[in-house]
Amino acid sequence: LQAMSGNEQDWLALRPQEPSPSQCCGSGCKPCIYDVYEKELAQWERAKAMQDKSLLMGKKEQSNSSELNPDTFTAFSVSSVEQLTEDTYQYKFELPGNSSLRLSLGQHIVLRGVVNGLEVQRAYTPISPGNAEGYFDVLIKCYEAGLMSQYIKTWKRGDMVFWRGPFGGFPYRPNKHGELLMLASGTGLAPMIPILQSITDDEEDETFVTLVGCFPTFDKIYLKPLLQDLARFWNIRIFYVLSQETSLEKLPWSYQENTYTGRLNEDLMKTIISSCRRKPFVLICGSSTFSEDMSRYLKAAGIEENSCFVF
């Protein structure tokens, strides 16, 4: 058996590595990490066939420019860490100069972490306005056993963290829908916030919004001050559904009239929809079980699939 020539070995060392399943965040990004791999593999095969390594020079895993990019990861520095609840944090990242991520509404970005030598990627939706200058904020829930959570919990101010994107998003247009009904479970609140803020910032936008936030307990509601501010607008209503609270008596009185205990079920969904001022277009964000349940209750309440968008 002929030993592999030095040249062959060189080329093999340059061959792009196929991603492992943990590296795909499963959010349907375009390009997905597998698309990027296919593209790089084709580039490598072309260069190898022509024996021309300079054709690979364009291959960059990480970008040094400080702009967010869907194909390559860019490093951003953590400028502050704020604990919101026992397991949820708000991380602020610095953007060079007064640049902005320029995200459209509800778009997500993908984080890359390395834990015990294993690369993991997850998608998160920034909660800062898409045109925020000089920074962006991400709301992240850390899970005890989560691989990515173990990495995130080590972040401190000044750490460099790699992101790529943006992906997805909801094509929102002012006044296109009479009323938006937002159904959010836990950190599913994230894509709703920039949409809410764009509506309250635009005096011409008269869209009604009913936001239903589902949380286990009152203490687990994120961003209360921000939500309280938004609820002061004439066209915004916010309800809370707290699955593990048994009575409303302990809650501050300002929350009692717009909070329900128990789960968001079919009956409560019908009540909320019948209280909407116009026939709503529905936005849903939460776990896959939450999204399936909501779709089922909406159907029972007479809302067709083409009037829903799931993040």
Side-chain angles (χ1 to χ4, degrees):
L1 205 76
Q2 174 191 356
M4 200 187 297
S5 72
N7 185 35
E8 279 286 306
Q9 280 173 325
D10 286 353
W11 277 103
L12 270 184
L14 291 169
R15 188 176 199 272
Q17 287 253 276
E18 181 166 4
S20 66
S22 73
Q23 288 174 262
C24 175
C25 70
S27 301
C29 308
K30 293 270 178 284
C32 167
I33 184 155
Y34 285 103
D35 301 331
V36 175
Y37 165 70
E38 294 296 333
K39 196 168 110 190
E40 291 181 350
L41 187 61
Q43 193 179 5
W44 176 81
E45 284 169 345
R46 199 163 56 243
K48 184 171 183 282
M50 296 172 75
Q51 289 291 309
D52 180 357
K53 288 183 186 154
S54 71
L55 293 174
L56 293 175
M57 286 307 152
K59 178 180 172 304
K60 288 206 306 287
E61 255 293 273
Q62 294 175 0
S63 135
N64 298 329
S65 80
S66 42
E67 293 232 332
L68 189 69
N69 174 330
D71 296 295
T72 52
F73 281 93
T74 305
F76 295 96
S77 157
V78 177
S79 58
S80 72
V81 176
E82 187 186 345
Q83 185 164 2
L84 300 181
T85 64
E86 57 179 355
D87 57 4
T88 307
Y89 299 81
Q90 181 171 337
Y91 296 95
K92 195 179 278 298
F93 291 90
E94 213 172 293
L95 287 172
N98 265 348
S99 62
S100 135
L101 276 188
R102 293 195 292 277
L103 297 190
S104 41
L105 294 172
Q107 283 194 311
H108 65 266
I109 54 180
V110 172
L111 166 68
R112 177 173 73 188
V114 178
V115 188
N116 311 333
L118 182 68
E119 184 176 301
V120 193
Q121 298 190 14
R122 293 278 179 279
Y124 297 98
T125 307
I127 54 172
S128 39
N131 56 359
E133 293 182 351
Y135 75 96
F136 65 95
D137 288 330
V138 186
L139 177 69
I140 298 181
K141 179 173 178 170
C142 290
Y143 295 90
E144 266 312 299
L147 269 179
M148 188 59 105
S149 299
Q150 291 170 33
Y151 163 61
I152 290 167
K153 279 181 189 159
T154 66
W155 290 353
K156 337 173 269 312
R157 206 192 141 121
D159 284 355
M160 296 306 275
V161 174
F162 284 92
W163 294 96
R164 76 181 177 105
F167 303 105
F170 168 62
Y172 179 74
R173 289 212 313 278
N175 300 312
K176 179 182 177 187
H177 305 286
E179 181 149 1
L180 287 178
L181 170 59
M182 300 177 166
L183 307 173
S185 166
T187 48
L189 192 60
M192 309 302 182
I193 300 277
I195 298 172
L196 272 166
Q197 287 176 320
S198 83
I199 292 172
T200 56
D201 286 349
D202 180 354
E203 286 181 7
E204 309 284 297
D205 193 344
E206 299 188 349
T207 307
F208 284 114
V209 182
T210 299
L211 167 66
V212 183
C214 301
F215 297 92
T217 59
F218 181 72
D219 294 338
K220 299 255 173 90
I221 300 174
Y222 314 124
L223 308 169
K224 288 192 190 83
L226 172 64
L227 293 172
Q228 291 286 71
D229 282 347
L230 289 167
R232 293 197 181 102
F233 284 85
W234 63 275
N235 49 342
I236 311 285
R237 295 189 305 172
I238 300 182
F239 293 113
Y240 299 99
V241 181
L242 307 176
S243 56
Q244 290 165 23
E245 294 280 4
T246 44
S247 112
L248 296 174
E249 285 167 18
K250 294 195 196 75
L251 303 192
W253 65 268
S254 60
Y255 281 87
Q256 292 182 12
E257 59 180 329
N258 57 350
T259 301
Y260 298 92
T261 57
R263 293 201 164 275
L264 176 47
N265 56 21
E266 197 176 304
D267 289 342
L268 181 50
M269 182 74 88
K270 286 180 174 159
T271 305
I272 289 171
I273 287 175
S274 62
S275 79
C276 285
R277 292 138 294 191
R278 301 180 178 143
K279 191 174 179 196
F281 184 90
V282 189
L283 302 180
I284 304 172
C285 190
S287 66
S288 51
T289 333
F290 176 80
S291 301
E292 284 159 20
D293 289 347
M294 294 307 113
S295 302
R296 209 169 54 248
Y297 305 152
L298 287 164
K299 202 171 174 182
I303 302 279
E304 303 83 25
E305 265 179 40
N306 61 4
S307 298
C308 298
F309 179 89
V310 180
F311 283 98

